[in-house]
Amino acid sequence: METSLQLKGDHMVSNDHVSVNAHNHLTIGGKDTLELAREFGTPLYVMDEAFVRAACRHYVAAIKTHYDGKGLAAFASKAFCCKAMCKIAAEEGLALDVVSKGELFTALLAGFPADRMLFHGNNKPADELEFAITSGIGRIVADNINELEQINTIAGSCGKRQSVQLRITPGVEAHTHDYVRTGQTDSKFGFALQTGDAMRAVQMAVRMPNLRLSGVHCHIGSQILDVQPFMLAAEIMTGFIADARDQHNITIEELNLGGGFGIRYTEQDNPPPHEDFLHSVSRAISGVCSARNLPLPFIYIEPGRSIVAPAGITLYTVGAIKEIPGIRTYLSVDGGMADNPRYALYGSQYEMLIANKAGAEKTKRYTVAGRCCESGDLLGKDVPLQDAAAGDILAVLATGAYNYSMASNYNRLLKPAVVFVNNGAVRVAVKRQSYEDLIQSDE
Ligand code: LLP
């Protein structure tokens, strides 16, 4: 008998992939996390494949249900990139957002069709552009003039006409962490709409012989918990497409609205149902289209976090526990900022539990520390947890996005393995790094 934990209450797909079994152990995807820790060691990233697939399907279906025109959901692979994940995204009919030759290379090796990929970034090196163009990448999202010129030149020398979208900053300020806010004019990304740069870039792109201007793109930020800024961005961008037609007789067929849909990390986060994002955004686009007599654009959305974050957990072994009377109690684990730098970088909060006492009440608070040699290596401060002891297994929830993909070898720690569970079955998606891997590039 399993009890559903209702921990994160993600609105998109059911979160009953995380439960407690009769042994009082945390389970994910029908697997006892204690068994996973024993079999694969810790730290360990565990992803529920069924959850990931359901989330992909959800986005595909949501576009069909809520948007009167046509569209594609692209998985933002920066959130979690490995061959197994690219394969899943391909099988579920998603497009793919890649941001480097590394992500592109991984996806190609996984058999992801190049023509369903979009290449992002504010400073793509020429060799990466060339690799993308010769690989037959579907769209390059051009960020600046220098890049437009480079794409035009490289495409010309390859005898190709490259489809591009232009990254535009629509001037929308989303309420999220400064480091992940990107829609405002003061941004390293894209052509500012408000300064006229965006329209000038459109005019320039259509004159370049080896480019095909397919669309415009914006991404206003990440972990956004409010529908309003998305609607505003959609309205502004659709209006921009209408302006390009009215003022310059330029047809722009595609509108890419980026990603950024927030998830519930802790009880403090209250994301609207992801359905609402799409529904509201569709209404915003349709409103402008009918007011300005514009055909509905083909839309792209680029969810990353919301597809993979809730699907993942990280398991650690608890080591030293140190109480500093009157101050706090530190609980140290065998991982930390090297496998999850998000607390150190953004102060991100996570829900945690002791996996072998998962059903017990959380009666204690611990400051969860990693094993790296610096004081900032924490996973959370004063986190409510079950009474813990050395040897327990700590589970950090909702680590499926921007954890593995942001992991480092700081202090020469090995990157953990990633295992996929799927209705009780387990497979290794990424092997744990070995010490041989670690020194492989050292001369
Ligand atoms: N599209 C573009 C162009 C992006 O830059 C991003 C994320 C996405 C889509 C996907 O956004 P998502 O749906 O995952 O929010 N490392 C940070 C997040 C950085 C997001 C960067 N861009 C974190 O750990 O919170």
Short mmCIF file of all heavy atoms in Angstrom, two decimals, residues 76 78-79 97 120 167 180 217 219 221-223 258-261 302-306 342 346 402 406, ligand 1:
data_model
loop_
_atom_site.label_atom_id
_atom_site.label_comp_id
_atom_site.label_asym_id
_atom_site.label_seq_id
_atom_site.Cartn_x
_atom_site.Cartn_y
_atom_site.Cartn_z
N ALA A 76 13.45 22.64 -23.95
CA ALA A 76 14.67 23.42 -23.77
C ALA A 76 15.71 22.51 -23.12
O ALA A 76 15.70 22.30 -21.91
CB ALA A 76 14.40 24.65 -22.90
N LYS A 78 18.69 22.71 -22.29
CA LYS A 78 19.60 23.20 -21.25
C LYS A 78 19.12 22.77 -19.86
O LYS A 78 19.90 22.68 -18.93
CB LYS A 78 19.74 24.72 -21.32
CG LYS A 78 18.52 25.51 -20.89
CD LYS A 78 18.43 26.86 -21.55
CE LYS A 78 17.89 26.69 -22.96
NZ LYS A 78 17.74 27.93 -23.71
N ALA A 79 17.83 22.50 -19.73
CA ALA A 79 17.30 22.10 -18.42
C ALA A 79 17.80 20.71 -18.03
O ALA A 79 18.05 20.44 -16.85
CB ALA A 79 15.77 22.12 -18.45
N ASP A 97 15.23 22.76 -28.25
CA ASP A 97 16.01 23.99 -28.17
C ASP A 97 17.41 23.60 -27.72
O ASP A 97 17.57 22.98 -26.67
CB ASP A 97 15.28 24.93 -27.20
CG ASP A 97 16.14 25.91 -26.41
OD1 ASP A 97 17.37 25.92 -26.56
OD2 ASP A 97 15.56 26.65 -25.61
N HIS A 120 19.94 28.36 -30.13
CA HIS A 120 19.87 29.62 -29.38
C HIS A 120 21.24 30.08 -28.92
O HIS A 120 22.20 29.33 -28.95
CB HIS A 120 19.04 29.40 -28.10
CG HIS A 120 17.58 29.44 -28.34
ND1 HIS A 120 16.90 30.61 -28.50
CD2 HIS A 120 16.66 28.45 -28.44
CE1 HIS A 120 15.62 30.36 -28.68
NE2 HIS A 120 15.45 29.05 -28.65
N ARG A 167 15.65 36.88 -32.14
CA ARG A 167 15.36 37.00 -30.71
C ARG A 167 15.10 38.47 -30.36
O ARG A 167 15.95 39.33 -30.59
CB ARG A 167 16.52 36.48 -29.87
CG ARG A 167 16.30 36.77 -28.40
CD ARG A 167 16.64 35.66 -27.52
NE ARG A 167 16.27 35.93 -26.14
CZ ARG A 167 16.55 35.14 -25.14
NH1 ARG A 167 17.19 34.02 -25.36
NH2 ARG A 167 16.18 35.42 -23.92
N VAL A 180 17.69 35.19 -14.01
CA VAL A 180 16.94 34.43 -15.01
C VAL A 180 15.80 35.26 -15.63
O VAL A 180 14.86 34.74 -16.17
CB VAL A 180 16.39 33.09 -14.45
CG1 VAL A 180 17.52 32.14 -14.13
CG2 VAL A 180 15.52 33.30 -13.23
N HIS A 217 11.19 35.59 -31.92
CA HIS A 217 11.25 34.83 -30.67
C HIS A 217 11.40 35.76 -29.49
O HIS A 217 12.07 36.79 -29.58
CB HIS A 217 12.48 33.90 -30.74
CG HIS A 217 12.82 33.25 -29.42
ND1 HIS A 217 13.50 33.91 -28.41
CD2 HIS A 217 12.56 32.02 -28.94
CE1 HIS A 217 13.63 33.10 -27.38
NE2 HIS A 217 13.08 31.95 -27.67
N HIS A 219 11.86 35.33 -24.98
CA HIS A 219 11.85 34.48 -23.78
C HIS A 219 11.99 35.44 -22.62
O HIS A 219 13.02 36.10 -22.49
CB HIS A 219 13.02 33.49 -23.83
CG HIS A 219 13.23 32.75 -22.54
ND1 HIS A 219 12.44 31.72 -22.13
CD2 HIS A 219 14.16 32.92 -21.56
CE1 HIS A 219 12.84 31.27 -20.96
NE2 HIS A 219 13.89 31.99 -20.58
N GLY A 221 11.91 35.00 -19.30
CA GLY A 221 12.55 34.61 -18.05
C GLY A 221 12.17 33.20 -17.68
O GLY A 221 11.50 32.51 -18.46
N SER A 222 12.60 32.79 -16.50
CA SER A 222 12.40 31.40 -16.09
C SER A 222 11.78 31.36 -14.70
O SER A 222 11.92 32.31 -13.93
CB SER A 222 13.76 30.71 -16.09
OG SER A 222 13.61 29.32 -16.09
N GLN A 223 11.11 30.25 -14.39
CA GLN A 223 10.42 30.09 -13.10
C GLN A 223 9.49 31.27 -12.86
O GLN A 223 9.49 31.90 -11.80
CB GLN A 223 11.45 29.89 -11.96
CG GLN A 223 10.90 29.65 -10.57
CD GLN A 223 9.97 28.43 -10.48
OE1 GLN A 223 9.82 27.66 -11.40
NE2 GLN A 223 9.31 28.25 -9.36
N GLY A 258 9.18 31.22 -26.27
CA GLY A 258 10.15 30.77 -25.28
C GLY A 258 9.54 29.89 -24.20
O GLY A 258 8.43 29.37 -24.35
N GLY A 259 10.28 29.76 -23.10
CA GLY A 259 9.80 28.91 -22.00
C GLY A 259 9.61 29.76 -20.76
O GLY A 259 9.26 30.93 -20.85
N GLY A 260 9.83 29.15 -19.60
CA GLY A 260 9.79 29.92 -18.37
C GLY A 260 8.65 29.59 -17.43
O GLY A 260 8.54 30.21 -16.37
N PHE A 261 7.79 28.63 -17.79
CA PHE A 261 6.65 28.31 -16.94
C PHE A 261 7.15 27.73 -15.61
O PHE A 261 7.88 26.75 -15.58
CB PHE A 261 5.72 27.31 -17.63
CG PHE A 261 5.48 27.65 -19.08
CD1 PHE A 261 5.89 26.83 -20.10
CD2 PHE A 261 4.85 28.85 -19.41
CE1 PHE A 261 5.69 27.18 -21.43
CE2 PHE A 261 4.65 29.21 -20.73
CZ PHE A 261 5.08 28.37 -21.74
N GLU A 302 8.86 26.86 -25.55
CA GLU A 302 10.11 26.16 -25.22
C GLU A 302 10.21 25.80 -23.74
O GLU A 302 11.11 26.28 -23.04
CB GLU A 302 11.30 27.05 -25.61
CG GLU A 302 11.35 27.36 -27.08
CD GLU A 302 12.43 28.37 -27.44
OE1 GLU A 302 12.80 29.21 -26.59
OE2 GLU A 302 12.90 28.33 -28.58
N PRO A 303 9.32 24.98 -23.23
CA PRO A 303 9.40 24.63 -21.81
C PRO A 303 10.60 23.73 -21.53
O PRO A 303 10.89 22.80 -22.28
CB PRO A 303 8.10 23.86 -21.57
CG PRO A 303 7.71 23.32 -22.91
CD PRO A 303 8.23 24.30 -23.93
N GLY A 304 11.30 24.04 -20.47
CA GLY A 304 12.41 23.19 -20.03
C GLY A 304 12.09 22.65 -18.64
O GLY A 304 11.71 21.50 -18.45
N ARG A 305 12.18 23.57 -17.66
CA ARG A 305 12.00 23.21 -16.26
C ARG A 305 10.71 22.44 -16.01
O ARG A 305 10.71 21.43 -15.31
CB ARG A 305 11.98 24.50 -15.45
CG ARG A 305 11.92 24.30 -13.95
CD ARG A 305 11.64 25.64 -13.24
NE ARG A 305 12.44 26.73 -13.72
CZ ARG A 305 13.63 27.07 -13.25
NH1 ARG A 305 14.16 26.40 -12.26
NH2 ARG A 305 14.31 28.10 -13.75
N SER A 306 9.60 22.92 -16.56
CA SER A 306 8.32 22.32 -16.21
C SER A 306 8.16 20.91 -16.76
O SER A 306 7.31 20.16 -16.29
CB SER A 306 7.17 23.21 -16.69
OG SER A 306 7.35 23.54 -18.05
N ARG A 342 22.20 25.44 -7.40
CA ARG A 342 21.11 26.41 -7.48
C ARG A 342 20.88 27.18 -6.17
O ARG A 342 20.49 28.33 -6.19
CB ARG A 342 19.82 25.75 -7.97
CG ARG A 342 19.94 25.21 -9.40
CD ARG A 342 18.62 24.79 -10.03
NE ARG A 342 17.77 25.93 -10.31
CZ ARG A 342 16.73 26.31 -9.58
NH1 ARG A 342 16.40 25.61 -8.49
NH2 ARG A 342 16.03 27.36 -9.89
N TYR A 346 21.28 31.03 -6.68
CA TYR A 346 20.05 31.82 -6.67
C TYR A 346 19.33 31.80 -5.32
O TYR A 346 18.26 32.38 -5.20
CB TYR A 346 19.03 31.28 -7.69
CG TYR A 346 19.58 30.82 -9.02
CD1 TYR A 346 19.50 29.47 -9.39
CD2 TYR A 346 20.15 31.72 -9.90
CE1 TYR A 346 19.98 29.05 -10.62
CE2 TYR A 346 20.63 31.29 -11.14
CZ TYR A 346 20.54 29.96 -11.49
OH TYR A 346 21.01 29.54 -12.70
N TYR A 402 18.07 21.75 -14.44
CA TYR A 402 19.19 22.62 -14.06
C TYR A 402 19.97 22.11 -12.86
O TYR A 402 20.50 22.89 -12.07
CB TYR A 402 18.69 24.06 -13.81
CG TYR A 402 17.95 24.64 -15.01
CD1 TYR A 402 16.57 24.88 -14.97
CD2 TYR A 402 18.62 24.90 -16.19
CE1 TYR A 402 15.89 25.38 -16.07
CE2 TYR A 402 17.94 25.40 -17.30
CZ TYR A 402 16.58 25.64 -17.23
OH TYR A 402 15.91 26.13 -18.32
N MET A 406 23.78 21.57 -14.80
CA MET A 406 24.66 22.61 -14.25
C MET A 406 25.73 22.03 -13.33
O MET A 406 26.44 22.77 -12.64
CB MET A 406 23.83 23.66 -13.49
CG MET A 406 22.98 24.52 -14.41
SD MET A 406 21.88 25.64 -13.53
CE MET A 406 23.00 26.95 -13.08
N1 LLP B 1 14.01 29.17 -24.12
C1 LLP B 1 15.06 29.98 -23.92
C2 LLP B 1 15.54 30.83 -25.02
C3 LLP B 1 15.71 29.98 -22.68
O1 LLP B 1 16.75 30.79 -22.51
C4 LLP B 1 15.25 29.13 -21.66
C5 LLP B 1 15.92 29.10 -20.36
C6 LLP B 1 14.15 28.30 -21.91
C7 LLP B 1 13.55 28.36 -23.15
C8 LLP B 1 13.60 27.35 -20.90
O2 LLP B 1 13.12 27.97 -19.77
P1 LLP B 1 12.38 27.11 -18.61
O3 LLP B 1 11.07 26.62 -19.19
O4 LLP B 1 13.29 25.99 -18.26
O5 LLP B 1 12.20 28.07 -17.50
N2 LLP B 1 19.69 27.92 -14.58
C9 LLP B 1 18.48 28.61 -14.20
C10 LLP B 1 17.50 28.71 -15.34
C11 LLP B 1 18.06 29.40 -16.56
C12 LLP B 1 17.09 29.42 -17.69
C13 LLP B 1 17.78 29.81 -18.96
N3 LLP B 1 16.95 29.81 -20.10
C14 LLP B 1 17.87 27.89 -13.01
O6 LLP B 1 18.46 26.92 -12.54
O7 LLP B 1 16.84 28.29 -12.50
#
